[in-house]
Amino acid sequence: DAKTTQPNSMESNEEEPVHLPCNHSTISGTDYIHWYRQLPSQGPEYVIHGLTSNVNNRMASLAIAEDRKSSTLILHRATLRDAAVYYCILRDVSSGTYKYIFGTGTRLKVLA
Amino acid sequence: DTGVSQNPRHKITKRGQNVTFRCDPISEHNRLYWYRQTLGQGPEFLTYFQNEAQLEKSRLLSDRFSAERPKGSFSTLEIQRTEQGDSAMYLCASSLTGAQAQPQHFGDGTRLSIL
């Protein structure tokens, strides 16, 4: 099973950038890296995804290492609404289908 | 914009009873997924459908669990003879078909509590 490793928790001050790391040393060549976040009492929310190149959207940026064995989700200016659990996930290559395997994620705390 | 809808939001039942949850995906999405999430853990994959075909079931899904997606639209997840360990949040997600880059859109889940 494709697996990711993330720190259990991180803290950031409001309006400062946040860099959330993820290690995925077993990634296959065609696996996309997806990031989701989950606020309390809600389902996960899609944030961003990428394959090889760095990606930007209105929510965040994704920086992918050249060897693709790690990636970093970047929130440029953290707000209190960004406090959530952030998940870095890969497609499960062993099954050949499209299920995702979530880890325990990183709980981000934003300090006012 | 209508997202993924799950009903009921909360279900409390006694051990041994049967329960059924419903998921209405985003209308043009032909893939539908079920996950289970316990406190402090990430979602665990249970099963997924492409249109009406159930293409994969997790080993976590015992014989007491069954899922259907008639006509490739809404889906139901039934748990028979519920046990204490079934208490969890049950999440549904949907996505478009295509390359694995298609993001999954999640509902807000059904929280099941077994007394």
Side-chain angles (χ1 to χ4, degrees):
Chain A
D1 291 353
K3 291 183 178 177
T4 61
T5 305
Q6 300 177 254
N8 288 333
S9 63
M10 292 184 64
E11 281 188 2
S12 173
N13 292 319
E14 197 176 12
E15 298 191 2
E16 289 188 356
V18 182
H19 290 234
L20 299 168
C22 180
N23 289 316
H24 30 76
S25 58
T26 59
I27 191 171
S28 76
T30 54
D31 273 345
Y32 281 79
I33 302 156
H34 291 245
W35 282 82
Y36 287 74
R37 71 180 185 182
Q38 187 172 23
L39 280 67
S41 300
Q42 294 186 19
E45 173 190 26
Y46 167 77
V47 177
I48 200 167
H49 72 273
L51 183 62
T52 56
S53 306
N54 294 345
V55 183
N56 300 295
N57 67 19
R58 63 175 180 82
M59 291 182 70
S61 296
L62 176 61
I64 301 173
E66 194 169 337
D67 63 6
R68 300 206 332 120
K69 293 185 177 181
S70 66
S71 61
T72 302
L73 179 70
I74 302 165
L75 307 178
H76 296 286
R77 289 184 63 193
T79 69
L80 296 177
R81 289 174 296 178
D82 292 322
V85 178
Y86 286 79
Y87 296 100
C88 166
I89 63 175
L90 305 176
R91 184 180 73 91
D92 175 15
V93 296
S94 63
S95 66
T97 59
Y98 292 90
K99 72 181 185 184
Y100 292 101
I101 297 177
F102 287 78
T104 52
T106 297
R107 183 173 298 278
L108 175 66
K109 186 175 181 180
V110 180
L111 305 175
Chain B
D1 178 22
T2 304
V4 176
S5 176
Q6 293 190 247
N7 288 288
R9 290 296 312 277
H10 303 275
K11 180 70 176 179
I12 301 173
T13 192
K14 293 181 179 180
R15 182 169 55 91
Q17 297 295 305
N18 299 343
V19 293
T20 300
F21 311 139
R22 177 178 171 125
C23 171
D24 287 273
I26 294 172
S27 59
E28 63 267 29
H29 287 185
N30 43 18
R31 285 205 182 117
L32 186 148
Y33 312 79
W34 284 98
Y35 293 84
R36 179 174 66 188
Q37 186 173 26
T38 54
L39 198 61
Q41 302 297 314
E44 294 176 302
F45 170 81
L46 294 179
T47 188
Y48 98 93
F49 294 82
Q50 182 155 315
N51 300 313
E52 66 276 8
Q54 187 173 17
L55 296 186
E56 186 173 355
K57 290 174 62 173
S58 167
R59 287 168 296 192
L60 294 172
L61 214 63
S62 75
D63 292 344
R64 298 183 298 106
F65 288 70
S66 63
E68 294 183 340
R69 193 183 182 199
K71 303 178 183 178
S73 56
F74 71 91
S75 176
T76 58
L77 178 68
E78 181 183 17
I79 309 174
Q80 296 182 325
R81 305 180 304 280
T82 53
E83 302 174 354
Q84 292 284 351
D86 297 332
S87 294
M89 176 75 83
Y90 289 84
L91 293 161
C92 176
S94 69
S95 73
L96 292 167
T97 309
Q100 59 178 303
Q102 296 293 344
Q104 295 182 18
H105 298 259
F106 284 80
D108 286 335
T110 294
R111 181 167 295 283
L112 175 64
S113 298
I114 307 297
L115 301 177

